[in-house]
């Protein structure tokens, strides 16, 4: 039996849900690059939780995370397995998930699919903030019919050339009808070029029929045309993975998530309410944190001011000091 992890927080893909189907003895959920399910949110620890398979059953385990792992209304004690059933709701830090158990297509490249999910979540979060973070080839210079080419479908071949049917038409003398081909794989483009026609040069290196990696920020030259690959979500994802965990507070209500069952402040959320944004920005940059983490009020103690406990301790200390002084005066003044 396979396990499908559906992400309820964040922007949903236009074609349907954002999900991963996996079949492995151990599935690691977290923010780090090596996790099987990557959730780019600072409320999620780098290695937050895991799902362990025993026969046809699955068990959710909190891996000593900062902000906790919730199954329904229950916060799981660290390193304590809890059985997962179909349609169970969970919250990993501030990110809501739903689990499905049953037959399903399981791809071989787990790391690649986990990265695509993380990138899609970042793209959706940044778009919700009015920023287009999708991958595209941008025209810097040259006589071209278009100014940019969106390359947001992983695994689909894109053609650069002189043919009117090319995805990006190069209006250059001597260019072949299909001078170069692109295919996105995560945050890079696999690039190959025909040996005939105009030379294709990537950052000063000639490109031939064997695919090379075209990374964001690199410039491709075809004749007089200069092109750059841009993918803002990829740099935001790398920044988010480097961030330290951001603590939440259990006395604050969890952000409601659409499609979930009603819960209290210690579990995932109420139906019909606003969805939590999974990763709409990166720490340490000019972007802001996700709305459900950004403006949360901090308790007085976390801001460094004095609370009732502090005042009480100071009064007790002053009282003890006063009694000590009075006792010393009585003893030595006699």
């Amino acid at each position: 039996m396979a396990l499908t992890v559906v992400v309820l927080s964040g922007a949903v893909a236009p074609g349907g849900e954002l999900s991963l189907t996996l079949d492995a003895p151990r599935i690691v959920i977290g923010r780090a690059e090596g996790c099987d399910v990557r959730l780019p949110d600072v409320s999620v620890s780098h290695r937050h939780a895991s799902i362990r398979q025993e026969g046809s059953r699955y068990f959710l385990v909190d891996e000593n995370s900062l902000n906790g792992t919730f199954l329904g209304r229950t916060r799981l004690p660290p390193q304590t397995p809890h059985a997962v059933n179909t349609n169970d709701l969970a919250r990993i830090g501030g990110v809501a998930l739903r689990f499905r158990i049953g037959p399903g297509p399981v791809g071989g490249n787990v790391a690649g699919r986990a990265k695509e999910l993380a990138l899609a979540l970042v793209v959706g979060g940044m778009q919700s903030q009015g920023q287009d973070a999708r991958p595209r080839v941008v025209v810097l210079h040259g006589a071209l019919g278009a100014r940019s080419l969106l390359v947001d479908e992983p695994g689909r071949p894109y053609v650069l050339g002189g043919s009117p049917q090319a995805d990006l038409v190069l209006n250059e003398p001597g260019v072949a009808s299909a001078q170069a081909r692109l295919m996105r794989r995560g945050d890079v483009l696999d690039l190959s070029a025909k040996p005939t026609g105009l030379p294709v040069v990537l950052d000063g290196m000639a490109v031939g029929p064997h695919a090379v990696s075209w990374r964001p920020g690199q410039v491709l030259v075809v004749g007089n045309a200069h092109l750059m690959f841009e993918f803002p979500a990829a740099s935001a994802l790398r920044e988010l993975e480097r961030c330290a965990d951001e603590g939440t507070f259990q006395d604050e209500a969890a952000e409601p998530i659409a499609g979930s069952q009603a819960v209290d402040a210690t579990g995932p959320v109420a139906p019909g309410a606003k969805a939590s944004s999974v990763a709409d920005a990166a720490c340490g940059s000019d972007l802001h944190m996700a709305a459900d983490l950004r403006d949360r009020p901090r308790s007085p103690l976390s801001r460094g001011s004095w609370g009732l406990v502090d005042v009480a301790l100071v009064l007790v200390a002053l009282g003890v000091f006063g009694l000590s002084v009075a006792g010393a005066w009585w003893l030595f003044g006699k």
Side-chain angles (χ1 to χ4, degrees):
M1 285 291 193
L3 176 74
T4 299
V5 180
V6 182
V7 182
L8 300 178
S9 299
V12 177
E17 65 187 18
L18 288 175
S19 64
L20 278 179
T21 300
L22 304 160
D23 188 0
R26 186 185 183 99
I27 298 166
V28 179
I29 303 173
R31 185 156 42 93
E33 183 177 356
C35 294
D36 303 304
V37 179
R38 293 166 64 177
L39 302 176
D41 189 297
V42 290
S43 70
V44 177
S45 296
H46 288 86
R47 184 185 176 92
H48 194 108
S50 66
I51 300 175
R52 303 174 188 179
Q53 183 181 19
E54 295 183 11
S56 60
R57 303 196 67 192
Y58 287 90
F59 296 85
L60 180 62
V61 181
D62 179 79
E63 300 287 352
N64 300 297
S65 66
L66 176 63
N67 292 313
T69 301
F70 298 84
L71 191 58
R73 296 175 181 269
T74 305
R75 177 167 183 161
L76 305 185
Q79 300 298 328
T80 304
H82 199 292
V84 172
N85 300 306
T86 292
N87 289 325
D88 274 356
L89 295 169
R91 179 157 60 84
I92 306 297
V95 180
L97 306 175
R98 186 188 301 276
F99 300 119
R100 291 200 302 262
I101 301 173
V106 180
N109 187 359
V110 174
R113 292 186 295 126
K115 189 168 200 175
E116 288 293 348
L117 174 67
L119 287 169
L121 290 169
V122 176
V123 167
M126 293 179 73
Q127 283 184 323
S128 71
Q129 302 296 314
Q131 304 174 67
D132 191 349
R134 294 175 296 175
R136 65 183 69 242
V137 175
V138 178
V139 177
L140 301 178
H141 173 74
L144 302 168
R147 305 313 300 168
S148 67
L149 170 65
L150 196 63
V151 288
D152 59 344
E153 297 182 41
R156 177 201 155 177
Y158 295 87
V159 175
L160 310 182
S163 169
Q165 284 72 45
D167 296 288
L168 186 58
V169 179
L170 305 179
N171 295 322
E172 294 280 326
V175 69
S177 59
Q179 186 69 70
R181 292 182 181 272
L182 314 172
M183 184 178 294
R184 188 170 69 81
R185 176 176 48 84
D187 57 357
V188 300
L189 296 176
D190 290 335
L191 169 69
S192 60
K194 281 190 173 182
T196 58
L198 295 178
V200 177
V201 180
L202 178 65
D203 268 5
M205 301 294 293
V207 179
H210 299 292
V212 298
S213 294
W214 186 3
R215 302 184 183 280
Q218 291 184 314
V219 175
L220 180 72
V221 178
V222 184
N224 291 321
H226 291 66
L227 315 172
M228 179 181 285
F229 176 39
E230 295 182 351
F231 197 175
S235 57
L237 175 61
R238 288 191 295 272
E239 185 75 17
L240 278 165
E241 289 172 342
R242 289 195 295 266
C243 291
D245 299 349
E246 179 172 308
T248 57
F249 296 88
Q250 296 308 313
D251 58 344
E252 299 173 6
E255 187 74 15
I257 298 172
S260 304
Q261 297 173 351
V263 297
D264 55 22
T266 60
V269 291
K274 178 183 175 183
S276 165
S277 177
V278 172
D280 60 357
C283 65
S285 72
D286 58 350
L287 303 175
H288 298 290
M289 296 311 307
D292 59 328
L293 297 178
R294 182 175 57 232
D295 296 322
R296 286 190 169 185
R298 298 304 191 234
S299 67
L301 290 179
S302 69
R303 293 194 301 264
S305 58
W306 286 34
L308 293 176
V309 174
D310 303 86
V311 174
L313 289 175
V314 170
L315 291 176
V316 170
L318 289 175
V320 171
F321 177 74
L323 290 175
S324 301
V325 172
W329 179 83
W330 178 83
L331 180 64
F332 296 104
K334 292 183 65 176

